[in-house]
Amino acid sequence: MCELYFVKPLNRKINSLDVEQLCIMMKDGSVSNDDGFGVSDGRKVFRRECKFDDKYIESIVKGFVGGDFIVGHNRLATCGKNKKVNSHPFYNNRFIWAHNGIISNWRSVADKYDMRGLLVDSQIIGELLLEKCKVESDVVKAIGCAMGELSGFVSVFVFDRETGRLFYFKDACIIVTGK
């Protein structure tokens, strides 16, 4: 399975040591999860289709100091090719998300909502959240509705760019943070 990493210091912004430590964990995890990697702090997304490597550390440190949090992901492909577009975190016009697990019914859900062009199961999460937010103004309720439609194992970080809220959920359990 993929690996998710998360750093959110209390009462301060992300500093270079935080990012370097995240990179060390990601490098260690890439030994067995080498089908792509990525990081995000809600402001930007950096991702590659290859194994995490030291040559990316400087770019990541420079790009992610000063944020409120940073989430990292090492991909172990269970579906979809080893391409940059399939590396996490994913993003759309509202959400940034990274997923660990397998969503067994993602194709049928994508068909139900006429979502064309999805290449891997993880992509359904943010797209389904957009659909649910069209009918549910409370993003927590929208997450609950979206996860109620998906089958399989889910462990997900989602950043809602519209509200500035960060969420972690594992299957039916949702953890909500403030701004």
Side-chain angles (χ1 to χ4, degrees), residues 47-83:
R47 57 188 190 165
R48 296 292 182 266
E49 71 281 353
C50 56
K51 179 178 181 175
F52 187 90
D53 189 282
D54 285 342
K55 67 183 176 185
Y56 298 109
I57 292 176
E58 186 177 339
S59 299
I60 294 170
V61 172
K62 283 182 184 175
F64 292 93
V65 169
D68 293 321
F69 68 90
I70 187 168
V71 62
H73 183 274
N74 276 333
R75 182 171 188 250
L76 179 63
T78 55
C79 68
K81 294 183 179 180
N82 188 3
K83 294 180 164 183

Side-chain angles (χ1 to χ4, degrees), residues 89-92 95-99 122-123 125-127 156-158:
F90 292 103
Y91 55 92
N92 57 30
F95 299 103
I96 297 173
W97 70 97
H99 163 247
S122 301
Q123 288 175 299
I125 295 166
E127 301 311 312
V156 185
F157 280 103
V158 172

Side-chain angles (χ1 to χ4, degrees), residues 19-20 23 30 41 69 77 98 116 142 147 153:
V19 182
E20 288 170 11
C23 289
S30 71
D41 63 357
F69 68 90
R116 293 185 175 92
M147 293 306 102
F153 172 80

